[in-house]
Amino acid sequence: MHRVIAENDVADTSFDAEEMQTILQQMVRARTFDERAVSLQRRGWMSGYPPFKGQEASQVGGAYALQETDWLVPTYRSNAMQLARGVPPSDILRFRRGYPEYHSDHERPVFPQAVPIATQTLHAVGIGMAIDYDDSDQARVLCYLGDGATSEGDFHEALNFAGVFDAPVVFFCENNHWAISLPRDRQTAAPTIAAKADAYGIEGTRVDGNDPLAVAETVERALNRAATDEPVLVESLTYRQGPHTTSDDPERYRDDVDLPEWRTADPIERFEGYLLDNGVIEDGFVDDVEQQTREQISSAVDTIEETETESPEDVFDSVYADLPPRLQQQRTHFFPLG
Ligand SMILES: Cc1ncc(C[n+]2csc(CCOP(=O)(O)OP(=O)(O)O)c2C)c(N)n1
């Protein structure tokens, strides 16, 4: 298990003050976004939202290790990772508000977020193999997934292909302990998620997912290894503090959880305390970032509302070039005038 904060004085880390400030800033920005997204959902602005509260260190640390040309292959839960990668908050809000075309033209390679569990692992291997066919060693692929995704057939096929074809892919599994209401120990009898890598002849490694510096170092090392045709499975141990989505009530299935304190600890409070104790930031740092982010998100929400051109019919019109008869019938039923 790789850890930095718990085991090293700040002077002994490989990060300078500015880098650590940037990482904390991205974590706070992500949490502020997450809180605002939940409240937007609560007032009916969007139909559902999957909060990532508690997973900020894991996701921001992972994204921090990416180079400009690297691919991120995200899911519905990895919004902190996407924000840290430069995806504008408005893209995520537009996706959640149901816009079929939500991607803006941001420069870094980010795949559309996957909602079907584990399908993105196959896409990631395809991207990695294409990078190899193009003979380009400029890019690697970081593929996000949850612990529940490791029980899907797609995950096994993806790791098998990655191992056989030496795809430059890092599978970044955020073990947040829950797959909706199913706890990790009911998910698999494997001793760890990382152990699953053994079956495919690739490296599996574990990291303290509430330590952003440890995650960034681990993912950077894994990406460098992937670039030499050695795919890696990283298991990032973290905790989902909130519900699975805004439609879920975790009080129905979880009481006190028998996990070590570092695992359920709040990653922002932990990192903020570490940086304050070591004089890397001053009081007020977090408040300032929260304030700026709130303003940015409010302005993104205003812009979305003011420029909204989408209509409910778009749900039917943006998937098929030629609408199949059954969907045509439904469209006529809902929108008889056209
Ligand atoms: C193929 C497929 N089966 C079932 C679902 C319903 N589903 C949505 S989220 C989820 C649990 C996923 O858990 P995990 O992979 O641990 O990710 P987390 O949500 O905890 O981030 C399930 C079963 C789905 N989206 N896709």
Side-chain angles (χ1 to χ4, degrees):
M1 165 84 68
H2 186 49
R3 314 188 76 179
V4 173
I5 292 181
E7 289 167 5
N8 289 286
D9 187 78
V10 75
D12 298 326
T13 71
S14 59
F15 299 87
D16 64 28
E18 202 180 318
E19 289 175 309
M20 289 189 271
Q21 286 166 3
T22 301
I23 291 172
L24 179 62
Q25 182 194 44
Q26 290 183 341
M27 288 167 63
V28 175
R29 188 168 171 258
R31 172 149 320 166
T32 310
F33 172 90
D34 200 52
E35 286 168 351
R36 183 68 199 278
V38 170
S39 78
L40 283 166
Q41 191 284 328
R42 291 296 185 229
R43 71 172 168 86
W45 198 85
M46 49 200 186
S47 58
Y49 177 77
F52 52 73
K53 187 175 182 189
Q55 302 180 215
E56 294 86 352
S58 176
Q59 295 194 19
V60 169
Y64 197 75
L66 289 163
Q67 291 176 359
E68 284 296 312
T69 51
D70 290 335
W71 276 89
L72 174 63
V73 182
T75 74
Y76 56 89
R77 178 87 57 212
S78 55
N79 289 319
M81 222 168 189
Q82 294 177 68
L83 291 169
R85 184 67 178 143
V87 174
S90 54
D91 278 22
I92 298 168
L93 294 173
R94 283 167 58 84
F95 173 79
R96 283 282 146 204
R97 198 157 157 83
Y99 291 0
E101 287 165 28
Y102 62 92
H103 260 282
S104 58
D105 288 332
H106 48 86
E107 280 166 15
R108 291 156 164 174
V110 180
F111 217 62
Q113 53 178 284
V115 176
I117 304 302
T119 49
Q120 77 283 2
T121 56
L122 292 166
H123 303 152
V125 177
I127 296 170
M129 289 171 69
I131 290 170
D132 272 353
Y133 289 145
D134 281 352
D135 217 11
S136 150
D137 51 10
Q138 297 295 310
R140 298 84 48 95
V141 186
L142 183 64
C143 175
Y144 177 96
L145 61 144
D147 42 295
T150 69
S151 299
E152 289 280 359
D154 284 0
F155 168 81
H156 300 281
E157 291 165 25
L159 264 69
N160 194 48
F161 258 67
V164 171
F165 291 98
D166 305 324
V169 179
V170 173
F171 300 95
F172 182 73
C173 177
E174 260 197 317
N175 176 356
N176 66 7
H177 196 74
W178 295 97
I180 313 185
S181 54
L182 196 75
R184 155 64 183 87
D185 55 7
R186 298 279 295 151
Q187 185 67 246
T188 171
T192 68
I193 300 279
K196 296 191 177 198
D198 287 353
Y200 305 101
I202 71 172
E203 182 182 300
T205 188
R206 300 182 103 195
V207 59
D208 174 351
N210 288 337
D211 177 339
L213 305 183
V215 177
E217 281 182 356
T218 301
V219 174
E220 186 185 6
R221 201 188 69 67
L223 285 166
N224 289 339
R225 191 176 160 90
T228 64
D229 296 337
E230 300 282 351
V232 180
L233 170 64
V234 174
E235 177 183 3
S236 174
L237 288 114
T238 182
Y239 193 70
R240 190 193 82 210
Q241 290 184 15
H244 171 72
T245 67
T246 43
S247 311
D248 173 47
D249 175 8
E251 286 182 17
R252 299 283 296 271
Y253 55 83
R254 68 180 185 191
D255 302 319
D256 290 341
V257 181
D258 186 19
L259 287 172
E261 196 273 333
W262 63 264
R263 179 80 185 275
T264 53
D266 188 88
I268 293 185
E269 283 173 22
R270 189 190 191 206
F271 193 40
E272 181 191 8
Y274 179 71
L275 298 186
L276 279 170
D277 289 350
N278 284 279
V280 178
I281 57 166
E282 293 179 357
D283 280 337
F285 182 94
V286 166
D287 291 345
D288 289 348
V289 178
E290 281 173 354
Q291 184 56 32
Q292 284 163 13
T293 311
R294 280 196 200 107
E295 285 164 17
Q296 285 164 0
I297 297 170
S298 292
S299 132
V301 170
D302 289 347
T303 309
I304 289 171
E305 288 176 350
E306 282 158 17
T307 56
E308 205 151 45
T309 53
E310 283 77 359
S311 62
E313 293 93 314
D314 292 345
V315 171
F316 288 100
D317 296 341
S318 57
V319 177
Y320 291 95
D322 299 310
L323 212 56
R326 220 168 101 91
L327 289 180
Q328 183 59 54
Q329 265 174 9
Q330 288 180 16
R331 192 186 192 290
T332 311
H333 176 78
F334 283 112
F335 307 106
L337 300 180

Short mmCIF file of all heavy atoms in Angstrom, two decimals, residues 50-51 55 59 75-78 115-119 144-150 152 154 173-182 187 240 244-245, ligand 1:
data_model
loop_
_atom_site.label_atom_id
_atom_site.label_comp_id
_atom_site.label_asym_id
_atom_site.label_seq_id
_atom_site.Cartn_x
_atom_site.Cartn_y
_atom_site.Cartn_z
N PRO A 50 -24.89 11.52 -9.35
CA PRO A 50 -24.12 10.59 -8.50
C PRO A 50 -22.99 11.31 -7.77
O PRO A 50 -21.93 11.55 -8.36
CB PRO A 50 -23.54 9.60 -9.53
CG PRO A 50 -23.43 10.40 -10.81
CD PRO A 50 -24.35 11.57 -10.72
N PRO A 51 -23.15 11.65 -6.51
CA PRO A 51 -22.11 12.42 -5.81
C PRO A 51 -20.82 11.60 -5.62
O PRO A 51 -20.87 10.38 -5.49
CB PRO A 51 -22.73 12.72 -4.44
CG PRO A 51 -24.16 12.32 -4.52
CD PRO A 51 -24.28 11.33 -5.63
N GLN A 55 -14.27 11.10 -2.36
CA GLN A 55 -13.37 10.48 -3.33
C GLN A 55 -12.50 11.53 -4.05
O GLN A 55 -11.89 11.23 -5.09
CB GLN A 55 -14.18 9.64 -4.33
CG GLN A 55 -15.00 8.56 -3.64
CD GLN A 55 -15.84 7.69 -4.58
OE1 GLN A 55 -16.94 7.29 -4.20
NE2 GLN A 55 -15.37 7.40 -5.77
N GLN A 59 -9.53 10.90 -7.02
CA GLN A 59 -9.77 11.30 -8.41
C GLN A 59 -8.85 12.44 -8.86
O GLN A 59 -8.29 12.39 -9.96
CB GLN A 59 -11.24 11.72 -8.57
CG GLN A 59 -12.18 10.56 -8.34
CD GLN A 59 -13.59 10.83 -8.82
OE1 GLN A 59 -13.84 11.71 -9.62
NE2 GLN A 59 -14.53 10.04 -8.34
N THR A 75 -16.29 7.63 -15.99
CA THR A 75 -17.67 7.15 -15.82
C THR A 75 -18.49 8.25 -15.14
O THR A 75 -17.98 9.34 -14.85
CB THR A 75 -17.78 5.90 -14.92
OG1 THR A 75 -17.59 6.32 -13.56
CG2 THR A 75 -16.79 4.83 -15.28
N TYR A 76 -19.72 7.90 -14.83
CA TYR A 76 -20.63 8.83 -14.17
C TYR A 76 -20.10 9.30 -12.81
O TYR A 76 -20.47 10.36 -12.33
CB TYR A 76 -22.00 8.16 -13.96
CG TYR A 76 -21.88 6.86 -13.17
CD1 TYR A 76 -21.94 6.86 -11.79
CD2 TYR A 76 -21.66 5.65 -13.82
CE1 TYR A 76 -21.77 5.69 -11.07
CE2 TYR A 76 -21.50 4.47 -13.12
CZ TYR A 76 -21.55 4.50 -11.74
OH TYR A 76 -21.36 3.35 -11.03
N ARG A 77 -19.26 8.49 -12.13
CA ARG A 77 -18.82 8.86 -10.77
C ARG A 77 -17.56 9.74 -10.81
O ARG A 77 -17.22 10.36 -9.81
CB ARG A 77 -18.52 7.59 -9.97
CG ARG A 77 -18.00 7.82 -8.56
CD ARG A 77 -19.06 7.98 -7.50
NE ARG A 77 -19.94 6.85 -7.46
CZ ARG A 77 -21.24 6.90 -7.14
NH1 ARG A 77 -21.78 8.07 -6.80
NH2 ARG A 77 -21.99 5.82 -7.14
N SER A 78 -16.87 9.77 -11.96
CA SER A 78 -15.53 10.37 -11.94
C SER A 78 -15.55 11.85 -12.34
O SER A 78 -14.67 12.31 -13.07
CB SER A 78 -14.60 9.58 -12.85
OG SER A 78 -15.14 9.48 -14.15
N VAL A 115 -22.04 5.15 -18.52
CA VAL A 115 -22.99 4.82 -17.45
C VAL A 115 -23.17 3.29 -17.34
O VAL A 115 -23.26 2.77 -16.23
CB VAL A 115 -24.33 5.56 -17.66
CG1 VAL A 115 -25.35 5.15 -16.60
CG2 VAL A 115 -24.10 7.07 -17.59
N PRO A 116 -23.20 2.55 -18.45
CA PRO A 116 -23.24 1.08 -18.30
C PRO A 116 -21.94 0.61 -17.64
O PRO A 116 -20.85 1.00 -18.07
CB PRO A 116 -23.33 0.56 -19.74
CG PRO A 116 -23.64 1.75 -20.59
CD PRO A 116 -23.14 2.96 -19.86
N ILE A 117 -22.07 -0.20 -16.62
CA ILE A 117 -20.90 -0.56 -15.81
C ILE A 117 -19.88 -1.37 -16.61
O ILE A 117 -20.22 -2.40 -17.20
CB ILE A 117 -21.34 -1.36 -14.57
CG1 ILE A 117 -22.36 -0.59 -13.75
CG2 ILE A 117 -20.14 -1.74 -13.69
CD1 ILE A 117 -21.92 0.75 -13.28
N ALA A 118 -18.64 -0.90 -16.59
CA ALA A 118 -17.44 -1.58 -17.12
C ALA A 118 -17.29 -1.55 -18.64
O ALA A 118 -16.25 -1.97 -19.15
CB ALA A 118 -17.35 -3.03 -16.62
N THR A 119 -18.28 -1.03 -19.37
CA THR A 119 -18.10 -0.99 -20.84
C THR A 119 -16.89 -0.15 -21.22
O THR A 119 -16.21 -0.42 -22.21
CB THR A 119 -19.35 -0.39 -21.53
OG1 THR A 119 -19.70 0.84 -20.86
CG2 THR A 119 -20.53 -1.33 -21.47
N TYR A 144 -11.05 4.84 -15.65
CA TYR A 144 -11.67 4.85 -14.33
C TYR A 144 -12.73 3.74 -14.23
O TYR A 144 -13.45 3.47 -15.18
CB TYR A 144 -12.35 6.21 -14.14
CG TYR A 144 -13.08 6.32 -12.83
CD1 TYR A 144 -12.47 6.89 -11.73
CD2 TYR A 144 -14.37 5.82 -12.70
CE1 TYR A 144 -13.13 6.97 -10.53
CE2 TYR A 144 -15.03 5.90 -11.50
CZ TYR A 144 -14.41 6.47 -10.42
OH TYR A 144 -15.06 6.53 -9.24
N LEU A 145 -12.84 3.11 -13.07
CA LEU A 145 -13.94 2.15 -12.81
C LEU A 145 -14.16 2.01 -11.31
O LEU A 145 -13.31 2.42 -10.51
CB LEU A 145 -13.63 0.78 -13.43
CG LEU A 145 -12.39 0.03 -12.94
CD1 LEU A 145 -12.69 -1.46 -12.90
CD2 LEU A 145 -11.21 0.26 -13.87
N GLY A 146 -15.29 1.42 -10.94
CA GLY A 146 -15.59 1.20 -9.53
C GLY A 146 -15.33 -0.26 -9.14
O GLY A 146 -15.06 -1.11 -10.00
N ASP A 147 -15.42 -0.56 -7.84
CA ASP A 147 -15.16 -1.94 -7.38
C ASP A 147 -16.20 -2.90 -7.96
O ASP A 147 -15.89 -4.04 -8.33
CB ASP A 147 -15.11 -2.03 -5.86
CG ASP A 147 -16.19 -1.21 -5.16
OD1 ASP A 147 -16.15 0.02 -5.27
OD2 ASP A 147 -17.07 -1.81 -4.51
N GLY A 148 -17.45 -2.43 -8.07
CA GLY A 148 -18.49 -3.31 -8.62
C GLY A 148 -18.22 -3.68 -10.06
O GLY A 148 -18.56 -4.79 -10.51
N ALA A 149 -17.58 -2.78 -10.79
CA ALA A 149 -17.30 -3.04 -12.21
C ALA A 149 -16.36 -4.23 -12.40
O ALA A 149 -16.35 -4.85 -13.47
CB ALA A 149 -16.69 -1.80 -12.85
N THR A 150 -15.60 -4.57 -11.37
CA THR A 150 -14.64 -5.68 -11.52
C THR A 150 -15.32 -7.04 -11.51
O THR A 150 -14.66 -8.06 -11.66
CB THR A 150 -13.55 -5.63 -10.43
OG1 THR A 150 -14.14 -5.94 -9.16
CG2 THR A 150 -12.87 -4.29 -10.35
N GLU A 152 -17.89 -7.53 -13.63
CA GLU A 152 -18.51 -7.61 -14.96
C GLU A 152 -17.61 -8.36 -15.94
O GLU A 152 -16.38 -8.24 -15.88
CB GLU A 152 -18.75 -6.19 -15.50
CG GLU A 152 -19.85 -5.43 -14.80
CD GLU A 152 -21.24 -5.83 -15.30
OE1 GLU A 152 -21.36 -6.68 -16.20
OE2 GLU A 152 -22.22 -5.28 -14.77
N ASP A 154 -17.11 -7.60 -18.99
CA ASP A 154 -16.32 -6.63 -19.78
C ASP A 154 -14.97 -6.35 -19.13
O ASP A 154 -13.96 -6.19 -19.81
CB ASP A 154 -17.09 -5.30 -19.90
CG ASP A 154 -18.23 -5.39 -20.90
OD1 ASP A 154 -18.43 -6.47 -21.50
OD2 ASP A 154 -18.93 -4.38 -21.08
N CYS A 173 -9.13 1.59 -10.46
CA CYS A 173 -10.35 1.15 -9.78
C CYS A 173 -10.48 1.87 -8.44
O CYS A 173 -9.65 1.70 -7.55
CB CYS A 173 -10.30 -0.36 -9.55
SG CYS A 173 -11.74 -0.92 -8.62
N GLU A 174 -11.53 2.66 -8.33
CA GLU A 174 -11.79 3.31 -7.05
C GLU A 174 -12.64 2.38 -6.21
O GLU A 174 -13.85 2.23 -6.45
CB GLU A 174 -12.54 4.63 -7.28
CG GLU A 174 -11.60 5.80 -7.22
CD GLU A 174 -12.39 7.08 -7.03
OE1 GLU A 174 -13.42 7.25 -7.67
OE2 GLU A 174 -11.95 7.90 -6.23
N ASN A 175 -11.99 1.76 -5.25
CA ASN A 175 -12.71 0.89 -4.33
C ASN A 175 -13.29 1.79 -3.23
O ASN A 175 -12.61 2.10 -2.25
CB ASN A 175 -11.75 -0.17 -3.78
CG ASN A 175 -12.41 -1.04 -2.74
OD1 ASN A 175 -13.57 -0.82 -2.37
ND2 ASN A 175 -11.67 -2.02 -2.27
N ASN A 176 -14.55 2.21 -3.46
CA ASN A 176 -15.21 3.11 -2.48
C ASN A 176 -16.08 2.29 -1.51
O ASN A 176 -16.93 2.82 -0.83
CB ASN A 176 -16.01 4.21 -3.18
CG ASN A 176 -17.20 3.67 -3.96
OD1 ASN A 176 -17.52 2.48 -3.89
ND2 ASN A 176 -17.86 4.53 -4.70
N HIS A 177 -15.86 1.00 -1.51
CA HIS A 177 -16.47 0.04 -0.59
C HIS A 177 -17.89 -0.39 -0.97
O HIS A 177 -18.34 -1.44 -0.54
CB HIS A 177 -16.45 0.53 0.86
CG HIS A 177 -16.71 -0.57 1.84
ND1 HIS A 177 -15.77 -1.51 2.14
CD2 HIS A 177 -17.81 -0.88 2.56
CE1 HIS A 177 -16.28 -2.37 3.02
NE2 HIS A 177 -17.51 -2.01 3.29
N TRP A 178 -18.59 0.40 -1.78
CA TRP A 178 -19.97 0.06 -2.09
C TRP A 178 -20.22 0.05 -3.59
O TRP A 178 -19.71 0.91 -4.31
CB TRP A 178 -20.94 1.08 -1.47
CG TRP A 178 -20.91 1.08 0.02
CD1 TRP A 178 -20.21 1.92 0.82
CD2 TRP A 178 -21.61 0.16 0.89
NE1 TRP A 178 -20.42 1.60 2.14
CE2 TRP A 178 -21.28 0.52 2.20
CE3 TRP A 178 -22.47 -0.92 0.67
CZ2 TRP A 178 -21.79 -0.16 3.31
CZ3 TRP A 178 -22.97 -1.59 1.77
CH2 TRP A 178 -22.63 -1.21 3.07
N ALA A 179 -21.04 -0.89 -4.05
CA ALA A 179 -21.63 -0.85 -5.39
C ALA A 179 -23.13 -0.74 -5.14
O ALA A 179 -23.79 -1.75 -4.86
CB ALA A 179 -21.28 -2.09 -6.19
N ILE A 180 -23.65 0.45 -5.18
CA ILE A 180 -24.98 0.79 -4.64
C ILE A 180 -25.04 0.22 -3.21
O ILE A 180 -24.28 0.67 -2.35
CB ILE A 180 -26.14 0.30 -5.54
CG1 ILE A 180 -25.88 0.68 -7.01
CG2 ILE A 180 -27.45 0.97 -5.09
CD1 ILE A 180 -27.03 0.36 -7.97
N SER A 181 -25.87 -0.82 -2.97
CA SER A 181 -26.02 -1.32 -1.59
C SER A 181 -25.13 -2.53 -1.30
O SER A 181 -25.20 -3.10 -0.21
CB SER A 181 -27.48 -1.69 -1.35
OG SER A 181 -27.89 -2.60 -2.36
N LEU A 182 -24.33 -2.94 -2.28
CA LEU A 182 -23.53 -4.15 -2.09
C LEU A 182 -22.13 -3.79 -1.58
O LEU A 182 -21.37 -3.12 -2.28
CB LEU A 182 -23.40 -4.92 -3.41
CG LEU A 182 -22.92 -6.36 -3.25
CD1 LEU A 182 -24.03 -7.24 -2.70
CD2 LEU A 182 -22.43 -6.92 -4.57
N GLN A 187 -18.95 -8.42 -2.82
CA GLN A 187 -18.72 -8.23 -4.26
C GLN A 187 -17.85 -9.35 -4.81
O GLN A 187 -18.09 -9.87 -5.89
CB GLN A 187 -18.03 -6.88 -4.49
CG GLN A 187 -17.83 -6.48 -5.94
CD GLN A 187 -19.15 -6.22 -6.62
OE1 GLN A 187 -19.53 -6.95 -7.52
NE2 GLN A 187 -19.86 -5.20 -6.19
N ARG A 240 -17.11 6.13 -0.31
CA ARG A 240 -18.19 6.97 -0.80
C ARG A 240 -18.97 7.50 0.41
O ARG A 240 -19.70 6.75 1.05
CB ARG A 240 -19.11 6.13 -1.70
CG ARG A 240 -20.14 6.96 -2.47
CD ARG A 240 -21.20 6.05 -3.08
NE ARG A 240 -22.22 5.71 -2.11
CZ ARG A 240 -22.91 4.59 -2.09
NH1 ARG A 240 -22.72 3.65 -2.99
NH2 ARG A 240 -23.83 4.37 -1.16
N HIS A 244 -25.40 6.60 -3.30
CA HIS A 244 -24.95 6.16 -4.63
C HIS A 244 -25.33 7.20 -5.68
O HIS A 244 -24.51 7.61 -6.50
CB HIS A 244 -25.59 4.81 -4.95
CG HIS A 244 -25.38 4.38 -6.36
ND1 HIS A 244 -24.16 3.97 -6.83
CD2 HIS A 244 -26.22 4.35 -7.41
CE1 HIS A 244 -24.26 3.68 -8.12
NE2 HIS A 244 -25.51 3.90 -8.50
N THR A 245 -26.58 7.61 -5.65
CA THR A 245 -27.04 8.74 -6.46
C THR A 245 -28.05 9.51 -5.61
O THR A 245 -28.40 9.08 -4.51
CB THR A 245 -27.76 8.32 -7.77
OG1 THR A 245 -28.99 7.68 -7.40
CG2 THR A 245 -26.93 7.40 -8.63
C1 LIG B 1 -24.22 -3.04 -17.15
C2 LIG B 1 -24.90 -2.38 -15.99
N1 LIG B 1 -25.49 -3.12 -15.04
C3 LIG B 1 -26.09 -2.53 -13.98
C4 LIG B 1 -26.12 -1.16 -13.89
C5 LIG B 1 -26.80 -0.50 -12.69
N2 LIG B 1 -25.76 0.09 -11.82
C6 LIG B 1 -25.51 1.40 -11.84
S1 LIG B 1 -24.28 1.83 -10.78
C7 LIG B 1 -24.09 0.22 -10.26
C8 LIG B 1 -23.07 -0.12 -9.20
C9 LIG B 1 -21.68 0.19 -9.63
O1 LIG B 1 -20.82 0.08 -8.55
P1 LIG B 1 -19.27 0.37 -8.68
O2 LIG B 1 -18.74 -0.23 -9.94
O3 LIG B 1 -18.63 -0.05 -7.42
O4 LIG B 1 -19.18 1.95 -8.87
P2 LIG B 1 -19.67 3.14 -7.91
O5 LIG B 1 -21.08 3.47 -8.33
O6 LIG B 1 -19.56 2.70 -6.50
O7 LIG B 1 -18.77 4.27 -8.22
C10 LIG B 1 -24.99 -0.61 -10.92
C11 LIG B 1 -25.10 -2.05 -10.69
C12 LIG B 1 -25.50 -0.42 -14.90
N3 LIG B 1 -25.44 0.93 -14.88
N4 LIG B 1 -24.89 -1.05 -15.95
#
